Amino acid sequence: MKKLLLLLSLIIAFTTISFSQTAVEDGHVINLNGDTLRGTIKFNYKNDIQLFSTVQIQINANDKKTYKPNQIKEFSIDDDDVFKSKKIENELVFVRVLCSGAINLYEYKTEHYLFNKIHTYVDYYLENPGDYTLTHIKQIKFRKQLIKAMSDNEFLVEGFKNKKYEFKNLVYIFELYNIDKETN
């Protein structure tokens, strides 16, 4: 009987997790003064597009706040998924940090209505710390763009020239570059 109850509990838990789209995770926001506010962040993990424009954090039962990119520096979900407020085409938005170090890699998602359907677009941006401007990484030109940004790493530059790296490997490429910079 105990095995049957355990099996039934596992099936119910798995079904709930499988069909649930909304998650609540521990998180924090860093306001413009640099103060950290901790609480929980509710989001739809299957469709995270809302996180690129607003974030809502619940500090306690009576204190729930919604922030836009012009109101905070960054927020984090579960201390792993970090979003920073950055300017893209003269508009402040949240971008997801995919890789950080000597050169940062960010992801930005938007939705557009086209042919009676909503389409989600994902763009990638690099940021050289110190200059803080974002450069849109274009799939067609990404090798040339990364050769310029990572010109001090001969191994990667040679890989770009030999078409060793594909656009889908952006995170891996940035990790290689940043690890090399940390160790040298």
Side-chain angles (χ1 to χ4, degrees):
M1 182 68 171
K2 288 182 182 179
K3 287 183 181 179
L4 181 62
L5 284 174
L6 179 62
L7 181 62
L8 186 58
S9 297
L10 287 173
I11 290 171
I12 291 171
F14 178 74
T15 305
T16 303
I17 290 169
S18 297
F19 292 109
S20 174
Q21 293 183 357
T22 303
V24 177
E25 297 285 343
D26 289 337
H28 70 267
V29 299
I30 298 177
N31 68 20
L32 297 176
N33 296 327
D35 298 329
T36 301
L37 304 170
R38 297 197 173 277
T40 57
I41 296 175
K42 185 176 178 180
F43 64 100
N44 183 332
Y45 70 90
K46 287 188 177 184
N47 183 9
D48 61 357
I49 194 76
Q50 163 264 334
L51 293 175
F52 294 88
S53 59
T54 62
V55 62
Q56 187 176 75
I57 187 165
Q58 184 155 356
I59 309 300
N60 59 48
N62 299 322
D63 192 6
K64 187 186 291 187
K65 295 184 180 182
T66 300
Y67 293 99
K68 293 181 179 182
N70 64 337
Q71 297 172 309
I72 61 174
K73 291 181 181 181
E74 71 177 61
F75 71 91
S76 174
I77 299 170
D78 200 25
D79 290 332
D80 292 328
D81 204 3
V82 178
F83 289 77
K84 293 189 177 236
S85 177
K86 295 290 179 181
K87 193 175 275 194
I88 295 178
E89 297 178 8
N90 295 320
E91 180 184 354
L92 276 173
V93 297
F94 289 124
V95 293
R96 177 179 274 136
V97 178
L98 297 179
C99 191
S100 62
I103 298 179
N104 300 319
L105 175 64
Y106 300 119
E107 171 189 64
Y108 177 58
K109 290 184 182 179
T110 55
E111 285 184 333
H112 301 282
Y113 191 73
L114 184 65
F115 301 116
N116 297 327
K117 190 174 178 184
I118 294 176
H119 298 272
T120 301
Y121 297 93
V122 180
D123 291 307
Y124 299 95
Y125 292 85
L126 70 83
E127 174 189 54
N128 289 307
D131 126 353
Y132 301 109
T133 58
L134 300 186
T135 302
H136 183 222
I137 302 172
K138 299 176 181 160
Q139 190 166 356
I140 296 171
K141 296 179 170 184
F142 89 96
R143 287 186 184 91
K144 287 181 183 179
Q145 290 177 298
L146 296 186
I147 285 173
K148 181 179 177 186
M150 300 176 179
S151 62
D152 58 340
N153 186 309
E154 293 176 26
F155 174 76
L156 288 174
V157 168
E158 193 61 35
F160 294 131
K161 289 179 180 176
N162 293 330
K163 298 186 179 183
K164 178 179 176 182
Y165 303 111
E166 299 295 323
F167 187 76
K168 65 183 177 183
N169 305 117
L170 280 178
V171 173
Y172 174 71
I173 294 165
F174 277 74
E175 286 174 351
L176 283 177
Y177 181 82
N178 288 329
I179 288 170
D180 180 61
K181 287 309 236 179
E182 285 176 14
T183 57
N184 289 332

